[in-house]
């Protein structure tokens, strides 16, 4: 029997200093005496992309729910984004959206965020955490494995590799936030545990992105342009919005292996092949500020740690290391924020006592419950494409597609439906809000 001590005397270690790792570190500080974040990259002196987060070159929308949680965790963050030049966007008023059923309307709502580069957002959060006396950030530090007790039932630390060599770092809780390419499953195998079952749904969507200077005197009735793909015949789309520094970020997408170009000469021609020409008209004479960046690892992938019969104590995983989404739905950072709140709530339930017996399965069960809705939202849309590899859509999925099609159609000239639809997309309302009688009846009446 191990004597119980206080959590506030213990040390938590986070693997990965990207969004999920930083947000986990923030809530761990509410409970642990010391928190250490281990990041294999160097930390830039100013906002700039780094090799461990290649997605930073692409559109990165923080949903309204995500922005609200970040503001709760880091009060004043939105003001810092504004001061750094991130423009304000109202997602129902400033967005011009060519949906599968036609153009959207402009409707006022409180769905406001400040689009910015992914690098700026991460850097501002890092700066806030750097002020925390109980947090240590170890850059250029790669975690190479887990350390466990003799019985291999409790994780007691991690093996790390730095420029100085290899060593062991002791920890009372290890949080894996190392992203989509996490090797946690392999490390667990080395300790004699099974890999988690995995669900993968892949629509083979690719991104190509480029940054542009917004021309002087640019004027348009919209700030964000979203030309959606339309299954099964129109696999190409585009997203464009303003960020700090008076820039546009433009991402071309193609589904079902119809990958957008990786070469400069093909970027504008591809932009002309989406379902409408607004983005092409805006950028064809604008000054490009970057190369073309491409990205193709966009499969939805859920590692079901919650389904494992056995896991060592004092170890959890968060963020993309557990569940990575097709990024086109803009959910990853918001889900990472919701995961951090789940971690915080689970740690609250320990009443500050250590060791954390039974904590690992409880946390993974609660995390899995939270993941169900965003997972269904992303994967059911991907399953509209016949080329998607994953389970064949069942009758519930097909029924949901038909109902959502009617909701979107009905929303195009009904403010309440339009606003509610985007509140669900921005995760401030649950999907059941789309079954409110004010939505259900007009949607069902459509021919
Ligand atoms: C192309 C693209 C576009 C996206 N667009 C959006 C969007 O619009 N909105 C949105 O909310 N989300 C978006 N996402 C998802 C979002 O980037 C992630 O969900 C979010 O960053 C959370 O990821 P993470 O912190 O779990 O992992 P990651 O961001 O992948 O970070 C993992 C970190 O761990 C570090 N690391 C890895 N292995 C080790 C190790 N062994 N030792 C130490 N450090 C290690 C890496 O260097 C990195 O810093 C997008 C993703 C992609 C790929």
């Amino acid at each position: 029997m191990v004597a119980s001590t206080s959590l506030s005397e213990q040390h938590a270690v986070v693997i990965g200093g990207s969004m999920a790792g930083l947000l986990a570190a923030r809530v761990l500080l509410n409970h642990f005496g010391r928190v250490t974040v281990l990041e294999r990259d160097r930390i830039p002196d100013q906002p700039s992309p780094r090799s461990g987060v290649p997605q930073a070159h692409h559109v990165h929308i923080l949903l309204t729910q995500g922005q609200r949680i970040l503001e709760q965790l880091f009060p004043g963050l939105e003001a810092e984004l504004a001061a750094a030049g991130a423009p304000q966007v109202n997602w129902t008023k400033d967005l011009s959206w060519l949906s599968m059923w036609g153009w959207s309307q402009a409707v006022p709502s409180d769905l406001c965020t400040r689009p910015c580069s992914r690098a700026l957002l991460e850097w501002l959060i890092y700066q806030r955490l750097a002020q925390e006396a109980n947090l240590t950030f170890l850059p250029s530090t790669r975690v190479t494995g887990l350390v466990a007790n003799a019985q291999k039932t409790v994780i007691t630390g991690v093996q790390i590799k730095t420029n100085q060599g290899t060593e062991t770092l002791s920890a009372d809780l290890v949080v894996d936030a190392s992203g989509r390419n996490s090797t946690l499953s392999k490390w667990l195998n080395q300790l004699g545990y099974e890999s988690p079952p995995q669900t993968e749904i892949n629509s083979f969507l690719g991104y190509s992105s480029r940054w542009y200077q917004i021309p002087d005197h640019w004027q348009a009735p919209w700030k964000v342009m979203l030309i959606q793909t339309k299954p099964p015949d129109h696999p190409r789309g585009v997203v464009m919005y303003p960020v700090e520094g008076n820039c546009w970020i433009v991402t071309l997408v193609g589904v079902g292996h119809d990958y957008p170009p990786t070469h400069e000469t093909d970027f504008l021609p591809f932009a002309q092949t989406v379902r409408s020409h607004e983005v092409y008209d805006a950028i064809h004479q604008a000054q490009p500020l970057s190369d073309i960046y491409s990205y193709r690892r966009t499969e939805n992938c859920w590692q079901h740690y919650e389904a494992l019969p056995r896991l060592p104590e004092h170890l959890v995983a968060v963020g993309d290391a557990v569940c990575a989404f097709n990024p086109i739905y803009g959910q990853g950072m918001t889900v990472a924020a919701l995961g951090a709140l789940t971690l915080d709530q689970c740690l609250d339930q320990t009443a500050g006592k250590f060791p954390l017996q039974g904590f690992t399965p409880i946390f993974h069960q609660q995390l899995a419950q939270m993941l169900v809705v965003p997972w269904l939202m992303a994967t059911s849309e991907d399953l509209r494409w016949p080329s998607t590899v994953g389970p064949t859509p069942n009758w519930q999925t097909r029924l949901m597609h038909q109902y959502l099609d009617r909701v979107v159609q009905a929303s195009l000239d009904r403010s309440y439906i339009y606003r509610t639809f985007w509140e669900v997309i921005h995760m401030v309302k649950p999907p059941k809000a789309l079954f409110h009688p004010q939505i259900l009846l007009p949607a069902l009446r459509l021919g």
Side-chain angles (χ1 to χ4, degrees), residues 18 20 39-40 50 55 59-61 118 143 320 327 332-333:
S18 175
E39 170 53 52
R40 65 183 176 192
R50 54 189 178 83
Q55 68 266 37
V59 288
H60 242 86
I61 291 163
R118 161 62 200 250
V143 176
D320 285 14
M333 296 189 294

Side-chain angles (χ1 to χ4, degrees), residues 43-342:
I43 301 307
D45 305 333
Q46 56 186 12
S48 61
R50 54 189 178 83
S51 60
V53 185
Q55 68 266 37
H57 294 291
H58 302 274
V59 288
H60 242 86
I61 291 163
L62 179 63
L63 301 177
T64 306
Q65 179 65 281
Q67 179 147 318
R68 288 179 187 170
I69 297 171
L70 291 197
E71 191 64 23
Q72 181 188 329
L73 296 176
F74 303 96
L77 184 69
E78 202 216 321
E80 290 178 15
L81 284 168
Q88 192 181 57
V89 160
N90 182 311
W91 285 93
T92 53
K93 199 161 126 312
D94 300 325
L95 165 73
S96 192
W97 170 39
L98 180 58
S99 72
M100 288 199 275
W101 303 100
W103 285 100
S104 60
Q105 52 173 326
V107 171
S109 73
D110 59 359
L111 292 178
C112 293
T113 68
R114 292 201 173 266
C116 62
S117 65
R118 161 62 200 250
L120 174 65
L121 184 62
E122 186 181 301
W123 193 80
L124 286 176
I125 292 173
Y126 170 73
Q127 293 300 316
R128 293 291 283 271
L129 284 173
Q131 294 164 20
E132 297 284 350
N134 297 340
L135 186 132
T136 307
F137 206 93
L138 295 181
S140 307
T141 304
R142 178 186 291 271
V143 176
T144 55
L146 299 171
V147 181
N149 64 351
Q151 300 78 26
K152 301 195 173 19
T153 51
V154 180
I155 298 302
T156 57
V158 289
Q159 287 160 351
I160 57 175
K161 192 167 179 204
T162 66
N163 295 337
Q164 278 75 49
T166 54
E167 59 182 288
T168 294
L169 183 69
S170 300
D172 303 300
L173 178 70
V174 172
V175 178
D176 178 32
S178 60
R180 201 183 258 277
N181 297 321
S182 162
T183 38
L184 181 58
S185 168
K186 195 178 93 195
W187 296 340
L188 284 170
N189 294 162
Q190 287 164 358
L191 293 173
Y193 291 87
E194 285 172 39
S195 296
Q198 176 178 307
T199 313
E200 188 173 309
I201 297 180
N202 195 345
S203 67
F204 297 95
L205 174 137
Y207 271 32
S208 281
S209 300
R210 194 168 208 189
W211 299 64
Y212 288 86
Q213 189 74 52
I214 301 178
D216 292 341
H217 315 300
W218 165 258
Q219 290 226 316
W222 48 268
K223 291 184 190 168
V224 182
M225 180 60 67
L226 169 57
I227 313 280
Q228 202 182 336
T229 58
K230 186 172 179 185
D233 302 322
H234 293 279
R236 297 182 175 188
V238 62
V239 189
M240 164 173 159
Y241 59 80
V243 295
E244 76 276 8
N246 199 35
C247 298
W248 279 321
I249 163 83
V250 178
T251 292
L252 302 172
V253 301
V255 187
H257 296 102
D258 184 17
Y259 293 122
T262 51
H263 293 294
E264 191 170 319
T265 42
D266 304 324
F267 195 83
L268 285 174
F270 188 100
Q272 282 181 295
T273 63
V274 301
R275 291 170 52 226
S276 195
H277 54 82
E278 284 70 13
V279 170
Y280 173 80
D281 290 349
I283 62 173
H284 81 282
Q285 286 186 327
Q287 175 67 39
L289 297 174
S290 75
D291 294 336
I292 313 280
Y293 300 102
S294 71
Y295 199 93
R296 295 182 182 179
R297 286 284 317 280
T298 59
E299 69 277 10
N300 301 284
C301 190
W302 188 343
Q303 311 284 342
H304 294 280
Y305 287 103
E306 80 284 0
L308 279 178
R310 219 168 57 92
L311 269 173
E313 304 266 16
H314 296 178
L315 171 73
V316 294
V318 295
D320 285 14
V322 177
C323 191
F325 299 90
N326 178 344
I328 194 69
Y329 310 108
Q331 297 169 309
M333 296 189 294
T334 298
V335 172
L338 287 163
L341 293 190
T342 306

